[in-house]
Amino acid sequence: MDMGIAGRTALVCAASKGLGRGCAEALAAEGVDVTIVARTEQTLEETAARIRASAGVEVKAVACDITTQTGRAAALAACPSPDILVNNAGGPPPGDFRKYTHEAWIAALEANMLTPIALIQATIDGMIARGFGRIVNITSSSVKAPIDVLGLSNGARSGLTGFVAGVARQVAATGVTINNLLPGAFDTDRIHATIVAQAKANHISEDEARARRIQTIPAGRLGTPEEFGRACAFLCSAHAGYITGQNWLIDGGAYPGTY
Ligand SMILES: NC(=O)c1ccc[n+]([C@@H]2O[C@H](COP(=O)([O-])OP(=O)(O)OC[C@H]3O[C@@H](n4cnc5c(N)ncnc54)[C@H](OP(=O)(O)O)[C@@H]3O)[C@@H](O)[C@H]2O)c1
C-alpha cells in the first residue's frame, strides 16, 4: 500500500536504536525525509547513514538530549516544521517504588511527559496551518497494565496519555491526528534492561526472567522494531486521518482484556 506521505518531513526522537529507529526507517521507506535524534553521535550517524543508503531520502541527524530545552531547540532548528512528529525518549529506570526520589520523578516526567508535550506545542500550529499533521507518541503497555518494576513509567506516561486524549479532540477537525503507540515487549536494548531488573528482583537468572516474560505473550515471542515501525508509518499515513486520540497496543496479545 502506498502510504501517501512521500515528500513529507518527520522529526523522530530517540531514533538511533530500537523502536524509534524502527519508526524512522519505516517512514523513510515511504519517502519521508527524516530528522533523527539521539544523544550518542556515533550510533546516530551510523543509523542516519544506513537510512540514507537504503531509502534515498534526506536524513538529518541531531545529537542531543531531547529531554532538555537546548536539545529540543537543536532538534527543532534542524526540523522546524515537521509534518510528522514521533515522540520518544529513553524509559525511566526500573526500581522499587519505595525508593523513588523526587529527582527521579522529575526526570521521568521530563522524559516521558513534558518533553513530548513541549514538542507538540512547538509543532502543532504549523501542522494545523498546513492542514496535515501526524503526531505519534511512543508510550508503553504500562499505561494500560502497570509493570511492577516500572512505577516511574506507569505514572509519567499516564500523564502524557491524559493530556493527549484532550488535545487530539481539540485539533481533530484540522487534519492533525495524535495517537499513542503502546509497545509491549520488543526485542531492543530497553527490554533487556527490564529483564535484568526483573531477574534481580525475583532472584532468578536472566534467561529464566526472559523465558517467563515470553511465556506471558500469546504470540510466543518478542516484537521486532521493524513491525513497530510499520505500524507507526501507517498511523502517519494519508489513510489514517480518521484515527485520532487512540492508544494502540502492539504487544503480541499480552494485554489480557477484551477491550
Ligand atoms: N522495548 C520495549 O519492549 C519497550 C516496551 C515498553 C516501552 N518501551 C519504551 O519505548 C521507548 C523506546 O524504547 P527502546 O526499546 O526502543 O529503547 P532502546 O533500544 O534503548 O533505544 C532508545 C533510543 O533512544 C535514544 N535516547 C534515549 N534517551 C534519549 C534522550 N534523552 N534524548 C535523545 N535520545 C535518547 C537512544 O540513544 P542514546 O542513548 O544515544 O541517546 C536510543 O536511540 C522507551 O521509552 C521505552 O521505555 C519499550
Side-chain angles (χ1 to χ4, degrees):
M1 191 199 312
D2 176 1
M3 297 289 176
I5 47 176
R8 299 264 182 206
T9 57
L11 174 58
V12 188
C13 304
S16 66
K17 296 196 283 180
L19 304 179
R21 183 173 75 191
C23 295
E25 286 173 343
L27 289 168
E30 297 302 326
V32 174
D33 293 326
V34 294
T35 298
I36 59 172
V37 176
R39 292 165 303 182
T40 314
E41 192 158 11
Q42 190 182 339
T43 343
L44 183 68
E45 289 296 346
E46 285 165 7
T47 297
R50 224 185 1 254
I51 297 176
R52 258 179 227 119
S54 64
V57 295
E58 188 183 338
V59 183
K60 294 182 194 165
V62 183
C64 67
D65 183 341
I66 199 68
T67 68
T68 65
Q69 230 166 7
T70 48
R72 289 190 290 276
L76 289 167
C79 186
S81 310
D83 302 307
I84 295 166
L85 168 66
V86 179
N87 275 315
N88 185 28
D96 177 343
F97 74 90
R98 290 186 178 80
K99 296 183 182 152
Y100 295 148
T101 60
H102 182 75
E103 290 69 30
W105 272 113
I106 296 299
L109 291 169
E110 286 286 0
N112 300 117
M113 179 182 171
L114 300 177
T115 289
I117 290 174
L119 289 171
I120 291 170
Q121 287 174 313
T123 57
I124 197 166
D125 284 332
M127 294 178 184
I128 291 170
R130 294 187 298 279
F132 178 91
R134 298 285 184 263
I135 299 172
V136 173
N137 305 300
I138 299 180
T139 64
S140 172
S141 62
S142 70
V143 171
K144 286 196 74 126
I147 298 170
D148 53 7
V149 294
L150 291 178
L152 293 168
S153 171
N154 302 338
R157 295 185 198 277
S158 294
L160 173 66
T161 305
F163 171 77
V164 161
V167 177
R169 273 87 186 174
Q170 279 174 261
V171 303
T174 67
V176 177
T177 68
I178 315 180
N179 293 288
N180 304 314
L181 279 179
L182 283 55
F186 279 79
D187 200 0
T188 68
D189 291 358
R190 168 73 180 177
I191 195 75
H192 181 68
T194 307
I195 285 169
V196 169
Q198 281 170 332
K200 208 170 150 192
N202 296 306
H203 309 290
I204 55 175
S205 71
E206 284 173 35
D207 282 351
E208 177 62 19
R210 189 181 175 88
R212 284 189 195 177
R213 186 73 193 265
I214 288 175
Q215 264 173 15
T216 67
I217 305 169
R221 65 175 177 87
L222 300 176
T224 70
E226 291 73 23
E227 54 198 348
F228 189 88
R230 292 286 171 185
C232 176
F234 178 73
L235 270 185
C236 296
S237 75
H239 313 298
Y242 205 51
I243 303 172
T244 197
Q246 300 305 301
N247 289 283
W248 272 20
L249 266 175
I250 310 183
D251 69 349
Y255 177 72
T258 304
Y259 300 107

